[in-house]
Amino acid sequence: MKAHHDQHFLIDPHATQRIADLAEVKGKRVLEIGPGNGALTSALLQRGAIVYAVELDGRLCEGLHTIFSEEIAQGQLTVQQGDATRCDLPPFEMVVSNLPYSASSKITFRLLKIGFEEAVLMYQSEFADRMVAPAGTKNCGRLSIMVQTYAVVQQCFKLPPNCFSPKPQVHSTVVKIFPRQHPLFPINDRDRYADVVRALFSHRRKTVRNCLKGSGGMLDPEWVRRMIVTLPEEILKSRPEELYLEDFATISNVA
Ligand code: SAH
């Protein structure tokens, strides 16, 4: 990992407490990705959470072992060194993290796949805005569709760069994520759904028909042909950014 890459530590105690207060963590197993030097970790421990912290940087892990030796000895905190985009993750019910910006997307998709009760996550604001962008608006993309299909996302508050050290160049937004029990619209095959959404948003200026025809290896060509004769013209002639959330399910559910 590059030196200081993606490390912006919370230094505003009020902001740290506000984040920790967003979820009822007492007695819950809470995954914290990128604990850094433990500002948020400490707030979570104070509120009675059982924290599983996964940190990429070995030096920071050593620091956490020193700062929290008591909590670790008592089993209230576990510190694991690893890359949260791909390492084995401990079991958890909740996630509370100030995420590394460059891994936000991978980590979010991974968490949604694993499942959890509730998450409080901090992202760069531009990313958080895309998460909540409704279908049919300019900001809406693959991230928006995938997240909104499987979860309800609420923006809670913004934090300016001076809450962190070193200061990031962008504002941050804290969001809450509640996974849905079932996707908003029935989806027959989740992998195909993901492939369809990806194929559509890789050419957002083209029509749905042309996106799907030109989707290369992403989708089975035989299936694409069936889909094009089955789907209503209204969907086929739209651009992906004009579709309703439901349309993505309709497209991917073609047998
Ligand atoms: N939560 C801390 C630090 C946030 S900065 C605070 O609020 O003060 C992001 C943290 O994520 C850094 O400590 C960085 O080392 C860590 N990190 C970066 N990429 C990671 C990854 N792929 N997996 C786990 N941790 C990562």
Side-chain angles (χ1 to χ4, degrees):
M1 149 170 208
K2 279 179 270 165
H4 306 302
H5 175 66
D6 234 10
Q7 296 180 330
H8 301 282
F9 302 111
L10 267 167
I11 51 164
D12 182 322
H14 178 63
T16 310
Q17 303 303 323
R18 275 180 84 195
I19 298 171
D21 278 335
L22 281 174
E24 196 51 66
V25 295
K26 194 171 166 57
K28 297 274 185 182
R29 293 177 298 181
V30 177
L31 173 67
E32 187 189 0
I33 294 170
N37 45 29
L40 193 52
T41 318
S42 174
L44 292 169
L45 291 169
Q46 278 165 20
R47 286 163 179 73
I50 301 149
V51 181
Y52 294 86
V54 177
E55 170 59 58
L56 185 59
D57 186 327
R59 274 175 320 159
L60 291 174
C61 287
E62 280 171 34
L64 292 166
H65 274 105
T66 310
I67 304 168
F68 297 110
S69 56
E70 241 172 73
E71 289 84 349
I72 292 173
Q74 289 161 357
Q76 208 197 337
L77 171 65
T78 306
V79 177
Q80 174 186 329
Q81 187 182 355
D83 177 346
T85 62
R86 52 198 180 155
C87 67
D88 284 341
L89 292 174
F92 57 89
E93 281 117 30
M94 289 187 148
V95 194
V96 181
S97 309
N98 167 10
L99 289 179
Y101 293 149
S102 64
S104 293
S105 176
K106 269 195 180 163
I107 290 174
T108 304
F109 283 119
R110 189 166 186 214
L111 293 175
L112 283 172
K113 195 153 194 183
I114 297 173
F116 51 86
E117 287 174 12
E118 186 181 333
V120 173
L121 299 172
M122 181 151 55
Y123 295 97
Q124 77 181 88
S125 295
E126 182 266 342
F127 188 93
D129 289 345
R130 280 195 284 130
M131 286 176 89
V132 299
T137 66
K138 262 228 142 61
N139 245 339
C140 175
R142 180 169 90 95
L143 174 75
S144 333
I145 297 298
M146 292 304 290
V147 168
Q148 292 167 34
T149 299
Y150 295 113
V152 175
V153 184
Q154 277 174 5
Q155 292 199 350
C156 301
F157 51 82
K158 266 186 148 181
L159 293 175
N162 61 17
C163 290
F164 305 88
S165 173
K167 281 188 201 172
Q169 304 210 318
V170 292
H171 279 66
S172 300
T173 300
V174 181
V175 310
K176 272 196 189 190
I177 304 178
F178 303 92
R180 299 176 192 279
Q181 204 119 43
H182 302 287
L184 199 51
F185 303 101
I187 291 169
N188 298 343
D189 177 337
R190 291 185 178 211
D191 290 331
R192 174 167 283 165
Y193 184 81
D195 290 343
V196 163
V197 174
R198 186 194 294 274
L200 289 173
F201 282 106
S202 43
H203 304 283
R204 52 190 303 147
R205 309 297 302 165
K206 289 191 187 173
T207 61
V208 168
R209 177 185 274 108
N210 289 332
C211 283
L212 295 170
K213 275 189 183 166
S215 63
M218 248 187 278
L219 300 168
D220 171 14
E222 198 45 51
W223 181 71
V224 170
R225 269 192 287 277
R226 273 207 305 282
M227 188 170 47
I228 286 175
V229 296
T230 313
L231 288 174
E233 181 60 22
E234 207 182 319
I235 290 186
L236 289 170
K237 70 172 191 216
S238 303
R239 281 197 242 124
E241 60 193 24
E242 296 166 337
L243 295 174
Y244 293 106
L245 196 52
E246 188 177 5
D247 295 332
F248 295 90
T250 306
I251 297 171
S252 79
N253 284 344
V254 170

